[in-house]
Amino acid sequence: MKAIDIMTKEFDAILPTATVKEAVTLFKCGFRGEGRKGVNALMVMDENGKLVGLITMSHILKAIMPFYMEMAHLSEFAWEGLFERMCHKIENRLVSDFMEKKVITVDPDANIFEISELMLKSRVRRLPIVEKDKVIGIVYRKELFFKIVETMLEKEVCK
């Protein structure tokens, strides 16, 4: 079984020049909206559709945490209004300021063992599938696990 056999062809993406506020809107709703509960990662793609990064909810959370709180381990203190100020401070910054620039990818022919090993060793939950510099899909850890379930159980268990 290969990446192309288990990948999802639909994924949410954003330009690196978009604002953090625009990204947060997509995290909440996703592009495909209509009852969707949102997404927790966005592929960052340039105008030509080339993958240039990845931004996750964790990147946003880290961006609003003042550096001195992390250094002094003061995160249990909640100073009135600080959270709101930090959110507004970054809302108009660019996605490219916070995105992961070194995204681990695989090609469509990567086998399921390569994908599993890469996800486990790299501690990633998603792997973009790239062919000729274009993202053609994504393999999520959850989907990979469901292939294991499907193989072991060979029939539908939950209804």
Side-chain angles (χ1 to χ4, degrees):
M1 192 171 296
K2 298 182 185 244
I4 199 161
D5 301 321
I6 59 173
M7 72 181 190
T8 301
K9 292 181 182 175
E10 292 183 1
F11 52 88
D12 291 286
I14 195 164
L15 290 168
T17 54
T19 65
V20 169
K21 189 173 186 176
E22 291 171 309
V24 168
T25 300
L26 289 175
F27 284 126
K28 183 175 185 210
C29 308
F31 277 123
R32 294 173 293 283
E34 298 178 24
R36 239 174 122 208
K37 292 188 178 183
V39 296
N40 51 24
L42 298 167
M43 298 294 132
V44 183
M45 301 169 84
D46 68 15
E47 296 81 11
N48 300 317
K50 182 179 180 187
L51 181 69
V52 294
L54 177 81
I55 190 161
T56 67
M57 289 180 186
S58 294
H59 292 112
I60 305 298
L61 291 171
K62 287 177 187 174
I64 64 166
M65 177 121 166
F67 73 93
Y68 53 82
M69 288 180 81
E70 187 176 310
M71 290 172 38
H73 302 290
L74 299 174
S75 58
E76 63 266 2
F77 296 101
W79 295 306
E80 194 62 36
L82 179 62
F83 177 79
E84 292 82 1
R85 283 194 309 274
M86 292 307 292
C87 288
H88 292 303
K89 185 176 179 178
I90 68 159
E91 70 185 357
N92 292 315
R93 300 263 315 265
L94 301 181
V95 165
S96 59
D97 294 339
F98 302 105
M99 70 184 190
E100 176 64 45
K101 292 175 177 88
K102 295 179 182 177
V103 181
I104 300 168
T105 64
V106 293
D107 64 46
D109 291 327
N111 71 52
I112 201 162
F113 289 113
E114 292 173 274
I115 296 166
S116 299
E117 180 181 30
L118 199 50
M119 283 183 156
L120 290 169
K121 283 185 176 178
S122 305
R123 295 183 178 176
V124 295
R125 296 178 180 196
R126 63 203 58 81
L127 281 176
I129 311 304
V130 177
E131 185 174 56
K132 297 178 185 171
D133 284 336
K134 301 279 186 202
V135 178
I136 61 167
I138 187 167
V139 173
Y140 293 99
R141 183 176 62 180
K142 173 178 73 173
E143 297 303 324
L144 183 61
F145 182 75
F146 287 154
K147 282 296 174 191
I148 294 168
V149 170
E150 184 181 298
T151 303
M152 284 183 180
L153 301 180
E154 295 183 17
K155 61 182 176 182
E156 189 175 325
V157 178
C158 304
K159 296 185 182 192

